[in-house]
Amino acid sequence: MIIFPLFSGSAGNSTYLKCKNTAVLVDVGRSAKQTEDSLIQKNLHPSKINFIFITHEHLDHVKGLHIFASKYKIPVYSSKGTINFFRKKNNSRVISDKLLFKVIPSKGVEIGDFFVKSFNVSHDCCEGIGYIFETQNERKIAFVTDTGCVTNEMRNSIVGCDTLFLESNHDVKMVECGKYPYNIKKRIISDIGHLSNEDCAKELPNLVNSGLTHIILSHLSKNNNLAQLAYQTAVSTLFEHNMKENIDYTLFVSKNINNSCCSF
Ligand SMILES: [Zn+2]
Ligand SMILES: [Zn+2]
């Protein structure tokens, strides 16, 4: 299993995941050129990507999708709502008749060496989803970003995962004291906005108890968060539950630009 978070944060999100002979990207939120460059830097070839999975239609998740997927003829999975949005909107930045879109079935789908399931998240978009990638050797990797809260449906989906990409978007005080207009602040903090460091951290102890060993804090806000603050909030919360870093779990903070190696 190889996992490379290529980009993470409001300037674009994309993660490379490979198991045996199947390689996928979750989101293509930077330009196709930046995505290609980032893969090549890691000795990964874009033409060897078999599938793309899109969480939702916001530009920081689909900016490079049209060019990248059509250039390399890669099928794109997403929710019905997101695919309908692409088709109806006829948004030339992300839509092309040449793109092969597939709706991810509610019971999940076997795709190469992965079994992939999705679940709904709570975000102000058409039909945002998170993903679970299961492998034959019982690895279970979960992606949860762009959600204003964690619902019971989400908890039930991700319980038992060994690796989790979880949004740790902002520090609430930094948002409140920051320079954004009131309506934007309200949107970020709302249940259909983004997940705060505190709300992210409080989900972790139960998940570590149920088998989570690798935590990747993702989608950090450039203006309303600090990597050290997100890291410290998660580690302190886990420490209160007697869970120690590098003994009970490992923790990695996905940076805004071109992350280095992260493979498990
Ligand atoms: Zn979003
Ligand atoms: Zn986003």
Side-chain angles (χ1 to χ4, degrees):
M1 172 72 64
I2 302 170
I3 303 171
F4 281 112
L6 304 177
F7 305 106
S8 183
S10 39
N13 297 274
S14 191
T15 302
Y16 173 91
L17 181 63
K18 185 178 184 214
C19 176
K20 293 184 187 166
N21 295 317
T22 308
V24 306
L25 280 186
V26 178
D27 290 329
V28 191
R30 289 282 183 101
S31 73
K33 175 81 174 79
Q34 284 174 303
T35 308
E36 282 172 344
D37 289 349
S38 177
L39 287 164
I40 290 162
Q41 261 176 30
K42 295 168 177 59
N43 287 324
L44 306 168
H45 203 277
S47 65
K48 302 243 169 77
I49 289 171
N50 306 102
F51 301 96
I52 293 171
F53 292 85
I54 295 295
T55 56
H56 66 301
E57 73 276 13
H58 289 164
L59 201 59
D60 58 319
H61 298 261
V62 298
K63 190 177 178 189
L65 175 64
H66 175 194
I67 293 176
F68 191 87
S70 34
K71 181 170 175 185
Y72 295 103
K73 300 186 173 53
I74 308 170
V76 179
Y77 277 91
S78 194
S79 67
K80 193 175 179 185
T82 301
I83 291 172
N84 284 345
F85 171 87
F86 291 150
R87 292 198 168 122
K88 261 193 237 142
K89 191 90 177 170
N90 198 17
N91 181 343
S92 60
R93 282 181 298 191
V94 294
I95 183 71
S96 159
D97 287 344
K98 286 185 220 148
L99 287 194
L100 177 59
F101 283 114
K102 289 167 180 269
V103 174
I104 188 143
S106 55
K107 61 181 184 344
V109 61
E110 203 173 309
I111 294 167
D113 295 301
F114 289 112
F115 184 76
V116 190
K117 284 191 276 193
S118 67
F119 52 88
N120 294 315
V121 295
S122 177
H123 195 51
D124 54 355
C125 58
C126 291
E127 191 184 356
I129 51 176
Y131 288 103
I132 306 284
F133 291 84
E134 289 178 22
T135 69
Q136 279 156 4
N137 61 353
E138 299 187 348
R139 297 286 310 266
K140 185 173 172 181
I141 297 114
F143 287 83
V144 188
T145 64
D146 297 70
T147 191
C149 60
V150 178
T151 63
N152 282 336
E153 183 206 340
M154 292 162 68
R155 285 188 191 103
N156 292 338
S157 299
I158 63 178
V159 72
C161 64
D162 59 83
T163 303
L164 172 64
F165 282 75
L166 183 59
E167 174 165 44
S168 192
N169 180 262
H170 58 270
D171 174 75
V172 174
K173 285 200 185 73
M174 283 178 78
V175 176
E176 285 169 350
C177 302
K179 58 184 179 187
Y180 286 179
Y182 174 73
N183 60 329
I184 306 262
K185 290 182 180 184
K186 209 169 130 191
R187 183 232 160 205
I188 294 170
I189 292 171
S190 78
D191 274 359
I192 53 166
H194 290 281
L195 204 64
S196 69
N197 292 341
E198 291 77 7
D199 286 347
C200 163
K202 75 180 186 201
E203 295 299 323
L204 298 174
N206 274 341
L207 291 166
V208 171
N209 258 337
S210 65
L212 176 64
T213 48
H214 303 296
I215 302 162
I216 302 109
L217 302 182
S218 306
H219 211 305
L220 269 69
S221 164
K222 199 175 160 204
N223 297 317
N224 296 310
N225 210 351
L226 298 167
Q228 190 59 30
L229 195 53
Y231 167 83
Q232 204 54 55
T233 308
V235 170
S236 308
T237 305
L238 286 158
F239 191 75
E240 283 165 19
H241 290 78
N242 291 320
M243 294 166 180
K244 297 184 182 73
E245 191 185 6
N246 299 325
I247 296 171
D248 300 303
Y249 65 90
T250 67
L251 194 140
F252 177 86
V253 181
S254 254
K255 304 265 172 55
N256 283 320
I257 43 162
N258 217 3
N259 288 283
S260 54
C261 172
C262 180
S263 54
F264 309 108

